[in-house]
Amino acid sequence: MPRRPISIVRWVISVIILIPTLLVWSFFLTGHWKSFKVISRSMEPTLLVDDYLLMRHQKDFPLLDNKVVVLADPSGGKLAMVKRIVATANSTVRLSNGRIYLDGSKTPLPGERVEDTPNHEWKLDQNQIFVLGDNRNNSQDSFDFGPLLRTDIMGVITYRYYPLVRAGVVQ
């Protein structure tokens, strides 16, 4: 019994599926992308416990303002932290009466008022960043350990892929 040739349409569909699959797989294998699971409430409501995220790894991060990033734990622990960058090089961050102000602005950053944290001011150096959790009263962040170095950034969170109902670009 002669074999039926594979139709061109089936072959094209197979290639269309195979190439993106191989590209995604290669990004994970080469370390350009990494997957993370959220295990704390420090970034609520942006990220919830059990969200699965994709992190893009690269050597240089040109625009970091307001990006959600993965950081090496400043206390030397093995777990990475996910935080939002609120200030970058040469900025001044001021905490006054529970509100956060940047570079002498009279308008505070959006977000909840920070409870039980004394007024303080931080002046960032050229290679420093200041990070906060979106859930500011339930987050260990730069209020606790001060500014971090840009080299502490492991990557930028770009996408939430699970749960499917919340899948999409992370802002």
Side-chain angles (χ1 to χ4, degrees), residues 28-98:
F28 279 105
L29 286 177
T30 59
H32 286 91
W33 286 353
K34 191 169 182 176
S35 176
F36 284 92
K37 179 182 177 184
V38 177
I39 60 170
S40 82
R41 299 190 184 317
S42 71
M43 284 299 293
E44 287 180 348
T46 306
L47 303 174
L48 304 178
V49 172
D50 294 334
D51 280 358
Y52 284 82
L53 312 170
L54 280 182
M55 177 197 80
R56 185 184 74 225
H57 176 76
Q58 62 189 62
K59 294 281 182 202
D60 187 32
F61 302 97
L63 300 173
L64 289 172
D65 290 328
N66 210 36
K67 296 285 187 193
V68 178
V69 295
V70 178
L71 302 156
D73 184 348
S75 67
K78 292 185 180 188
L79 293 177
M81 299 186 329
V82 177
K83 303 293 176 196
R84 183 176 305 279
I85 295 179
V86 297
T88 56
N90 301 318
S91 296
T92 301
V93 179
R94 182 172 52 92
L95 177 64
S96 177
N97 297 319

Side-chain angles (χ1 to χ4, degrees), residues 7-22:
S7 74
I8 295 294
V9 173
R10 286 179 70 190
W11 185 84
V12 169
I13 290 171
S14 297
V15 169
I16 289 172
I17 292 170
L18 182 63
I19 289 176
T21 302
L22 289 174

Side-chain angles (χ1 to χ4, degrees), residues 113-130:
R113 182 181 212 91
V114 181
E115 303 294 331
D116 301 325
T117 303
N119 293 345
H120 197 281
E121 185 171 290
W122 297 266
K123 174 69 176 140
L124 305 185
D125 292 337
Q126 180 63 34
N127 294 315
Q128 290 183 316
I129 58 172
F130 198 88

